[in-house]
Amino acid sequence: MLVSSSSLRVFTENIFLAIGCSTEHATLAADVLLRSDLRGIDSHGVARLSGYVRLWEKNRINPTPNIQIVHETPTTATVDGDAGLGLVVAPFAMEVAIKKAELYGSGWVSVRNSNHFGIAGYHALMAVEKDMIGFAMTNASPLVAPTFSSERLLGTNPMCYAFPAGQYPPVVVDLATSAAANGKLEIAQRLGKQVPEGWIQDKTGNYTTDPHALKTGGALLPLGGDRDHGSHKGFGLSATVDILSAVLSGANYGPWVPPFVAFLDPPANPVGQGIGHFVGAMRVDGFRPVDEFKKHLDNWIERFKASATVDESQKVVIPGEPELEAELHRTIHGIPLVDAVVTDLNILAERFGVDPLKGE
């Protein structure tokens, strides 16, 4: 089903309002999810909405959080999200980072006691709007086995770096540190498809293409898939996210991170509070004039786009380019939702007395 972004936005806001969020928070949370769907990252958009509702039902999400700074210096801070939606906690933290950067050149904020924050790109791009370089990362529930391990000890732990360009769109490097995001398994499950080898292992540590393998004790693999293909590097990147997001902030880390799915209870012996994020902003003019930087980043983009390629029909893709193309197309033509997601959302609509979704 194709649904207009405006209709889907109103629907999503109404669901967040129905669970008790303020108008401001409902609008912001809906914006984060819609930006994901518009940018073609379907795994982190409205398909996640029922997951947030189920966490609210379990009293694991506070719809009216008192988000506050609990520790700070001129350039750094730690934010406690009060178990709020990560969709609103992370933007709060990024606003703090941006304000510090405006005064001192850079701002760095770690976050504890939060929940799933949507796509990292949303938060990093907030800094780009201020001619700053944006950073955003988060740890997540343990689904990934470190290199050589059969235990699920790390999350997909995404990280994003966003850079403002001049005549071109920002360069946005937004990636999971696992071989694939869990949301891509969920998409494969909904579509009844297998996944590529190297994404996941079964409970005995053997490769599998079954997207349901996590349900039977399997694990996602770090970026790289195996040691010979650099999975130790993916493990290292994931560890960096976990340490900055949680060990630094006082959130749960490693196997203690609470699961996103509501049918699994959080670990009984937490080492921190909620899940953690880490965001940052750096003023470009702290290094060189903004116009000079943008001119040279434009030149960088043009040179890479002009690169000789193995297949002449396939040009080099600049990080963030596919998401921008999807956003331009979906803003005009609507957001495609698979039947399983439409059914799931309309069950929410019936429960909360919200108008059901209808196609264009």
Side-chain angles (χ1 to χ4, degrees):
M1 178 188 288
L2 280 176
V3 181
S4 70
S5 59
S6 58
S7 296
L8 196 55
R9 183 181 301 276
V10 170
F11 177 92
T12 306
E13 287 178 4
N14 284 336
I15 296 298
F16 282 126
L17 288 170
I19 67 172
C21 294
S22 67
T23 300
E24 178 186 3
H25 283 186
T27 300
L28 177 55
D31 192 51
V32 178
L33 293 187
L34 262 292
R35 193 73 180 279
S36 178
D37 282 312
L38 283 170
R39 290 175 68 81
I41 310 172
D42 300 329
S43 57
H44 285 59
V46 295
R48 294 261 177 181
L49 187 54
S50 61
Y52 293 113
V53 172
R54 286 191 288 268
L55 289 174
W56 165 75
E57 290 173 327
K58 287 290 189 76
N59 295 317
R60 288 176 50 194
I61 282 182
N62 177 5
T64 57
N66 177 26
I67 308 167
Q68 58 184 320
I69 296 171
V70 294
H71 182 84
E72 69 177 323
T73 72
T75 59
T76 65
T78 299
V79 165
D80 189 299
D82 194 26
L85 287 161
L87 306 170
V88 299
V89 175
F92 176 96
M94 181 54 90
E95 289 285 2
V96 173
I98 289 170
K99 288 176 182 176
K100 288 181 177 294
E102 287 173 341
L103 290 172
Y104 302 107
S106 67
W108 306 95
V109 181
S110 63
V111 181
R112 70 185 186 211
N113 203 8
S114 186
N115 283 283
H116 190 280
F117 79 174
I119 55 170
Y122 182 96
H123 315 298
L125 282 166
M126 289 174 62
V128 168
E129 294 173 4
K130 303 288 187 178
D131 281 338
M132 299 180 186
I133 297 168
F135 303 81
M137 57 187 70
T138 183
N139 69 357
S141 50
L143 298 173
V144 181
T147 303
F148 303 134
S149 177
S150 60
E151 283 193 81
R152 303 195 307 204
L153 295 177
L154 289 165
T156 53
N157 292 6
M159 57 171 59
C160 180
Y161 305 83
F163 306 89
Q167 66 182 56
Y168 295 102
V171 175
V172 184
V173 183
D174 189 355
L175 61 129
T177 55
S178 55
N182 183 45
K184 292 192 175 182
L185 297 187
E186 294 170 348
I187 291 173
Q189 292 166 14
R190 288 194 291 267
L191 298 177
K193 295 183 177 181
Q194 298 292 292
V195 297
E197 189 171 286
W199 280 18
I200 191 170
Q201 67 185 24
D202 62 22
K203 63 181 180 182
T204 61
N206 294 313
Y207 287 149
T208 178
T209 59
D210 178 10
H212 298 277
L214 290 183
K215 300 173 184 177
T216 55
L220 286 168
L221 294 166
L223 187 62
D226 60 29
R227 180 65 172 78
D228 290 340
H229 294 90
S231 69
H232 59 293
K233 299 176 184 178
F235 173 31
L237 289 172
S238 185
T240 300
V241 173
D242 205 31
I243 293 166
L244 287 175
S245 298
V247 178
L248 189 62
S249 70
N252 289 292
Y253 46 82
W256 292 280
V257 177
F260 180 75
V261 291
F263 61 82
L264 293 177
D265 292 327
N269 58 337
V271 292
Q273 294 176 282
I275 74 169
H277 320 311
F278 185 79
V279 299
M282 292 196 307
R283 277 171 46 180
V284 170
D285 65 3
F287 300 89
R288 70 186 305 186
V290 173
D291 290 345
E292 283 187 13
F293 173 82
K294 288 184 174 181
K295 176 184 176 181
H296 282 278
L297 186 54
D298 283 348
N299 187 53
W300 185 95
I301 292 168
E302 289 172 354
R303 180 61 186 90
F304 277 75
K305 290 296 292 181
S307 171
T309 57
V310 177
D311 180 349
E312 292 184 357
S313 67
Q314 178 62 67
K315 299 299 183 183
V316 168
V317 178
I318 303 300
E321 193 174 20
E323 291 82 2
L324 178 66
E325 290 176 358
E327 187 167 2
L328 294 173
H329 183 271
R330 291 184 174 194
T331 298
I332 297 171
H333 300 287
I335 296 170
L337 300 177
V338 298
D339 291 343
V341 170
V342 174
T343 299
D344 195 34
L345 293 176
N346 281 336
I347 289 172
L348 289 180
E350 182 176 3
R351 174 183 170 187
F352 291 110
V354 172
D355 290 339
L357 285 174
K358 296 179 181 178
E360 291 292 281

